[in-house]
Amino acid sequence: MAMNWTEAQINQVVTSVLNQLGHAGDAPKAKTYNATSYEGRAFVGVYSDMKDAIAAAEAGYKAIRSMSVAEREKLITRIREKTREEAAIMAYLGVAETKMGRVDHKTAKHILVADKTPGTEDITSYAKTGDFGLTLVEMAPFGVVGAITPSTNPSETVICNSMGMIAAGNGVVFNPHPGAIATSNYAVDLVNRACYEAGGPKVLVASVEKPTLETADVMYKHPSIRLLVCTGGPGGVKSVLSSGKKAIGAGAGNPPVIVDDTADIEKAGKDIIDGCTFDNNLPCIAEKEVFAFANIADRLMASMKQNGAYQITSEQAEALAKVVLVEKINPKTGIAQKTISRDAVGRDAKVLLAKIGVTVGDDVRCIICETDFNHPFVQEELMMPILPIVRVRDIDEAIDLACKAEGGRRHTAHMHSKNVDHLSRFARAVETTIFVKNAPSYAGIGFGGEGHTTFTIAGPTGEGITSAKSFTRLRRCVMVDNFRII
Ligand code: NAD
């Protein structure tokens, strides 16, 4: 992969994949799909009862226990191939079902998962020898993993989780987001088809037709589930962490960006818009608010506008805030609070602008506006291509406000600067799992940056950029007085 992917390079890769698949230029065709089938093909591994799904995944886990690592790697290789082959189908399906995101970028996300999710090579062992002999530590599977997945990267997360969890030797049961059930279950079926073709069991990953909080609860309490993994907002993460079982929580973010006056301002403007608009801002790592030094803020916004941003006035920002943030009564407290409108999350910039009577063309991919720090566009994790810009005096104010906007989630932060002291100070202060310097946000998950990819970034529980080894338990084997050969 190239080091720094531009929008043009992403388009090139996506177009070539779509061309291979015969989809280039096609409008998304109406397809028949639901939670259990696609175009009349029944999904493998999808059950009406969560207990049946768990039993099937457990049988799959037992079947792969007798497979060699090389045989298991063949399953992962076939999942990679099938994900590439069917990337565009899942991208279309995801947009059609959730009404969120962009087909071209979702296609690119699936290819990223296929190419850069680690396989069995991630599973290593450790040996210690000494006067008393040999001690060996190995990464063992948990058994059956229960995974909760989001609506924002539905099939990407199912496939990425499956690859890591299977490479580690586990079976998996998913309780996917109800708003993305067909797309998620398509991915479950894909993983099963791939594994079976490569010599695996018929079902290794499983899901349910109708995921609910009740089916999640059955999963949490079932004795066969030894590890829970939640990728999603605070509700789901809290629920797995309260389950009493070992849990990995990959929660919400609100990534701030600082731009100081030593940065390459033209590049910063472009990088920020490229990252912020990737899949219409659905990725949890995407730029959500900018803190710009006052002396370069105008130039930064000019660069953003040259790269597909449309600047709105503060009056228009107020009108937009009323549309994209709605008041809802919190059932627990009875108090009204602002929450993001599901009709706005992941929508195109032009669709959001149309809601306040502004008509623009397809070239507009992001809405920018100057706001103060307390504006809800800064405080809320919007997950849509709206980017507030706050002017700051100096690096002290920038770091202070950016850390407050990040809110202690320890998720992701970005900075554009050539001042090493500024970069180090912000990285130390914000304590995020991912910190990207002088690049679009997606460089942080291996898209135009070094390192493997994941769609499950576990900040709260500390596994970080998860991979196969995150889904293992360590086991020690001790041989006293022997096997030290020196
Ligand atoms: P969401 O929080 O609405 O749903 C995520 C999942 O959690 C769904 O499967 C949902 O059904 C489940 N869930 C929610 N409350 C639950 C509860 N009380 N008990 C059991 N399950 C529950 O999220 P979404 O809108 O689909 O995704 C967006 C959110 O997820 C954002 O906050 C984003 O930052 C976060 N996210 C984080 C990561 C990461 O790797 N850290 C990745 C993707 C998304």
Side-chain angles (χ1 to χ4, degrees), residues 100 147-153 157 175-180 211-214 216-217 220 230-240 249-255 282-285 288 332 340 342 345 381 383 409 411 454-460 464 466:
M100 303 189 294
I148 305 267
T149 50
S151 58
T152 45
N153 319 305
T157 309
N175 197 64
H177 194 292
T212 59
L213 294 184
E214 288 71 36
D217 202 48
Y220 296 169
C230 175
T231 311
V237 170
K238 192 169 170 215
S239 73
V240 295
N254 191 31
L282 290 178
C284 51
I285 54 157
K288 299 284 192 287
K332 283 189 187 138
I340 48 172
R342 281 279 154 187
V345 173
E381 185 199 21
M383 296 186 287
R409 296 173 180 91
H411 195 296
T454 187
F455 278 81
T456 297
I457 299 151
T466 55

Side-chain angles (χ1 to χ4, degrees), residues 242-440:
S242 321
S243 66
K245 289 190 174 168
K246 158 80 181 176
I248 296 177
N254 191 31
V257 192
I258 292 179
V259 186
D260 76 11
D261 54 4
T262 68
D264 178 341
I265 304 301
E266 278 63 43
K267 179 175 182 298
K270 181 179 185 323
D271 283 356
I272 293 169
I273 296 301
D274 283 351
C276 171
T277 56
F278 192 56
D279 207 17
N280 280 343
N281 202 253
L282 290 178
C284 51
I285 54 157
E287 294 84 346
K288 299 284 192 287
E289 61 277 335
V290 176
F291 298 93
F293 276 32
N295 58 348
I296 50 87
D298 290 335
R299 265 176 61 212
L300 181 69
M301 286 188 276
S303 164
M304 290 175 168
K305 284 189 268 186
Q306 274 165 11
N307 287 287
Y310 180 92
Q311 187 169 6
I312 56 173
T313 64
S314 47
E315 292 75 30
Q316 287 173 318
E318 292 324 304
L320 192 58
K322 289 201 178 88
V323 181
V324 303
L325 290 158
V326 287
E327 290 226 327
K328 270 200 187 143
I329 306 287
N330 182 325
K332 283 189 187 138
T333 60
I335 298 168
Q337 62 186 48
K338 285 214 183 304
T339 57
I340 48 172
S341 161
R342 281 279 154 187
D343 291 337
V345 173
R347 299 308 197 268
D348 292 345
K350 77 170 188 181
V351 171
L352 298 173
L353 283 170
K355 290 178 190 282
I356 56 164
V358 177
T359 308
V360 295
D362 286 328
D363 53 324
V364 169
R365 51 188 177 127
C366 189
I367 304 165
I368 58 169
C369 51
E370 266 198 66
T371 68
D372 64 22
F373 171 73
N374 293 314
H375 196 280
F377 287 173
V378 175
Q379 302 299 324
E380 300 290 331
E381 185 199 21
L382 291 182
M383 296 186 287
M384 56 191 85
I386 298 175
L387 190 65
I389 290 130
V390 179
R391 283 179 199 254
V392 291
R393 265 189 323 273
D394 55 22
I395 192 65
D396 295 326
E397 187 182 23
I399 291 176
D400 178 45
L401 296 185
C403 288
K404 284 181 178 146
E406 207 281 326
R409 296 173 180 91
R410 296 179 168 199
H411 195 296
T412 299
H414 311 285
M415 186 161 182
H416 295 264
S417 170
K418 287 180 184 155
N419 182 319
V420 175
D421 290 341
H422 288 181
L423 287 162
S424 304
R425 276 184 60 194
F426 183 34
R428 280 199 199 109
V430 75
E431 291 190 289
T432 46
T433 305
I434 296 179
F435 188 79
V436 177
K437 301 167 186 145
N438 300 324

Side-chain angles (χ1 to χ4, degrees), residues 61 64-65 69 72 120 122-126 136-145 164-171 226-227 246 248 467-477:
Y61 157 63
I64 64 165
R65 281 198 74 173
V69 176
R72 218 156 71 215
T120 54
D122 201 46
I123 306 299
T124 54
S125 52
Y126 162 79
L136 181 67
V137 179
E138 291 183 300
M139 295 182 181
F142 270 88
V144 186
V145 182
M165 292 166 187
I166 293 170
N170 300 289
R226 307 287 185 117
L227 168 67
K246 158 80 181 176
I248 296 177
S467 60
K469 65 165 140 342
S470 314
F471 312 118
T472 59
R473 49 192 284 266
L474 297 182
R475 294 177 57 189
R476 175 187 274 203
C477 186

